[in-house]
Amino acid sequence: MNYSIALVPGDGIGPEVTAPATAVLDAIGDKYGHIFNYVELEAGGRAIDSAGEPLPKETLETAKQCDALLLGAVGGPQWETLPGHLRPERALLGLRAGLGVFANLRPAALLPQLRAACPLKDEVLTASNAEGKPGFDLLIVRELTGGIYFGEQGRSADGSSAYDTETYSRAEIERVLRTGYAAAGSRRKKLCVVDKANVLESSRLWRETAQALSREYADIETSYLYVDNAAMQLIRAPGQFDVIVTSNLFGDILSDEASVLTGSIGMLASASLGGPAKSGGSAKDGATVKDGSAVLGVMGMYEPIHGSAPDIAGKDIANPLAAILSAAMMLRYSFGLEREAAAIETGVNAVLDAGLRTRDIAGRSGGGTEKIVGTREMGEAVINALESQ
Ligand code: NAD
């Protein structure tokens, strides 16, 4: 099967981490008989320098024709003095809006090899985990294009008061919940809706919509938490969660909280998903969003959660694993290639088991022998691990 991937390396360490990610994808292609065609596009600071704007029209239009988009990172100090609408980060908002990606998926799992990076005690990590082992493996699905960040806002005439408005339609809530249910179907089949339905009318609509929809997904266990309790439970017992679905504002805060528990920004991948893929292989294989057990098969934008890290750019020391794991999410959610996605994740685990560490994750294992490697060497090690699977 052929797949077209819009590739936006971006600025700073962006190109350094997307290069190993595409090399890993190519190795997967060789092993499993797929062809990944990359269409390299400019966005962010690079595009400002060459085209005078962070998101040239051509970039967005071309990206829309592809099956998925893989992005490194954008931004850097040289563009920080530009007015807001010309800043590199505008490219991210433009891409998300232009591609219509309304669900942001952020996995947060504690890798045993990086146990010491998690600030929680062993007994907390063990007590909350169904398997009785220290750890957690959760996925936050955040609504990305609605709610208070997009609602009406303003100030009174004398500037002494201000307001922001949270508005959600049933349709907006339902589509992000369906994404959550589809993800839960391919995981541990648990979905927790986080809201503030005891106070907010918009949250009551979230809960009503979820209660009605949950009947369609009888094989998934649906639960509900108020956001204040959810924030506490993430610290008290993160192992109880599988998939959390929530609004834009609550998801923004909870996903940052969860990422701190994993302790390493260079390891965290993300996916932003929209409607059905245009020509993706998964759709042709019949693996579209249909029921809780199917893969998603949707257009998506995949990126590590870290930024362009100008302080370490060009030094071959950036951790490429977040970008590589973002590519794995692309295989799983846009192309329906679960076996291939899992192969990448197993490969990453294998290199960590072997003690290989980029500088940002060194000394987090709490013992054992470690070897410090650079960006390129880490990428090559993942490819070698794939080949020996
Ligand atoms: P950052 O994530 O770029 O860096 C924060 C810290 O983490 C730095 O010390 C950096 O060296 C380290 N770090 C980040 N990624 C790493 C990796 N893969 N391996 C090893 N260390 C890593 O955040 P920042 O410094 O606040 O922002 C730098 C620039 O990136 C800014 O212009 C910001 O606007 C932009 N940014 C872009 C995105 C994006 O493209 N999605 C996200 C966040 C920030």
Side-chain angles (χ1 to χ4, degrees):
M1 184 73 72
N2 277 9
Y3 300 92
S4 67
I5 299 172
L7 178 67
V8 180
D11 310 312
I13 62 168
E16 292 174 61
V17 298
T18 52
T22 54
V24 166
L25 282 175
D26 290 339
I28 285 284
D30 290 346
K31 193 174 163 84
Y32 295 98
H34 309 295
I35 296 174
F36 300 110
N37 297 308
Y38 307 100
V39 185
E40 190 165 331
L41 300 170
E42 291 203 335
R46 242 168 86 170
I48 293 170
D49 290 348
S50 66
E53 53 181 331
L55 182 61
K57 209 169 154 210
E58 193 197 326
T59 295
L60 181 57
E61 290 312 312
T62 312
K64 282 183 184 171
Q65 300 310 313
C66 295
D67 295 323
L69 184 148
L70 181 65
L71 182 135
V74 297
Q78 59 273 55
W79 302 288
E80 259 165 29
T81 51
L82 291 170
H85 69 286
L86 281 180
R87 295 275 297 266
E89 294 77 7
R90 293 297 294 195
L92 299 175
L93 300 181
L95 282 168
R96 286 171 191 158
L99 296 174
V101 288
F102 56 81
N104 181 234
L105 277 66
R106 274 206 201 178
L110 180 63
L111 297 172
Q113 303 93 334
L114 304 179
R115 165 65 187 94
C118 176
L120 300 182
K121 291 179 188 155
D122 255 357
E123 53 262 40
V124 172
L125 291 169
T126 309
S128 61
N129 193 310
E131 289 166 20
K133 287 188 274 182
F136 56 88
D137 177 3
L138 60 93
L139 175 72
I140 297 187
V141 180
R142 164 189 169 193
E143 201 290 325
L144 200 59
T145 53
I148 200 162
Y149 292 173
F150 290 85
E152 195 185 322
Q153 54 179 216
R155 291 202 178 202
S156 60
D158 67 357
S160 64
S161 66
Y163 64 94
D164 298 274
T165 322
E166 172 96 339
T167 308
Y168 270 111
S169 68
R170 210 179 281 278
E172 282 177 304
I173 299 166
E174 191 177 307
R175 67 182 182 179
V176 71
L177 280 167
R178 284 194 188 280
T179 303
Y181 274 116
S186 58
R187 293 172 49 96
R188 298 195 308 280
K189 298 195 173 10
K190 284 170 61 179
L191 182 140
C192 179
V193 180
V194 171
D195 60 33
K196 188 71 182 165
N198 50 343
V199 179
L200 300 176
E201 196 54 37
S202 54
S203 277
R204 283 193 273 275
L205 185 64
W206 267 81
R207 197 167 281 218
E208 273 169 43
T209 308
Q211 280 165 343
L213 197 64
S214 65
R215 290 181 210 120
E216 276 185 42
Y217 295 92
D219 60 326
I220 312 268
E221 179 194 324
T222 305
S223 61
Y224 303 88
L225 276 183
Y226 297 139
V227 64
D228 39 355
N229 190 10
M232 201 167 67
Q233 294 298 330
L234 268 176
I235 301 294
R236 234 202 89 248
Q240 71 185 283
F241 294 109
D242 180 17
V243 174
I244 292 173
V245 184
T246 190
S247 65
N248 206 341
L249 172 65
F250 298 159
D252 190 5
I253 298 165
L254 293 180
S255 63
D256 269 21
E257 184 188 351
S259 72
V260 169
L261 300 181
T262 70
S264 172
I265 199 167
M267 297 292 303
L268 295 172
S270 82
S272 301
L273 304 179
K278 289 191 173 47
S279 60
S282 58
K284 286 176 194 144
D285 293 339
T288 48
V289 185
K290 215 168 51 197
D291 58 51
S293 63
V295 293
L296 297 177
V298 288
M299 174 63 183
M301 176 170 163
Y302 299 84
E303 52 183 320
I305 74 159
H306 61 72
S308 60
D311 52 329
I312 58 167
K315 297 182 179 162
D316 190 41
I317 55 175
N319 187 345
L321 294 180
I324 290 171
L325 291 169
S326 299
M329 289 186 86
M330 181 170 71
L331 298 182
R332 172 172 295 125
Y333 293 125
S334 277
F335 304 157
L337 301 175
E338 173 59 36
R339 178 187 54 171
E340 290 80 344
I344 294 181
E345 289 158 356
T346 305
V348 167
N349 254 315
V351 300
L352 293 173
D353 276 344
L356 268 60
R357 303 281 186 271
T358 43
R359 278 191 350 182
D360 58 305
I361 51 171
R364 305 284 182 96
S365 344
T369 315
E370 293 185 351
K371 180 185 175 209
I372 309 285
V373 294
T375 312
R376 273 190 227 114
E377 197 177 343
M378 185 60 109
E380 283 157 15
V382 175
I383 291 171
N384 291 338
L386 282 177
E387 280 160 7
S388 53
Q389 271 174 32

